[in-house]
Amino acid sequence: MVRNAYLKLVPASARENVTIGEIRELLQYYKQITTKTGNQVDWNYQEAAFPYVIHEVEVENGTWLHLSSNHDRYHAIYIGVIEENITDGEGAEHKQPVIQVTLPHTATYGDKGKANEFCKFLGKKLKAELHLFNGRIMYYYPRK
């Protein structure tokens, strides 16, 4: 069964729009900081923290990131940017960028755990509204 999590960029978010390239840069930053953590504790932590190779895949609705792994505990995660039509309080419609994180039907429990970690990391960096795989919502933007 395919499962999805969504990071919605709301008006209070750090950015109004995000590209697949910016998401790739944030994931590279994640790899970089986990490498530094591994160096500090003298352990190969980056292999455990980010066991994926990032590929860009063209699909009908744009470019997606395909995180694939050769480890036995991990398989794949897909990350893409879609747009959602939203109606504001005054009845005007506008498009809201949404980062979709997809676990394919071949994903493992390890993939789901890593996808949750990446979603939370991206949510903190972008100050987004995170809709997790289990339907719960986490708010990383300042709320009034």
Side-chain angles (χ1 to χ4, degrees), residues 4-56:
N4 296 308
Y6 301 96
L7 289 130
K8 296 184 179 186
L9 298 179
V10 296
S13 294
R15 297 182 188 169
E16 291 181 16
N17 286 319
V18 67
T19 64
I20 205 71
E22 292 169 339
I23 295 170
R24 186 182 186 116
E25 288 175 11
L26 285 170
L27 291 175
Q28 293 292 347
Y29 174 69
Y30 182 84
K31 286 174 64 172
Q32 193 177 41
I33 60 175
T34 56
T35 300
K36 287 180 183 178
T37 301
N39 291 339
Q40 289 175 347
V41 296
D42 196 26
W43 182 52
N44 195 12
Y45 180 63
Q46 68 271 13
E47 288 295 319
F50 198 89
Y52 298 99
V53 177
I54 302 172
H55 306 282
E56 288 192 14

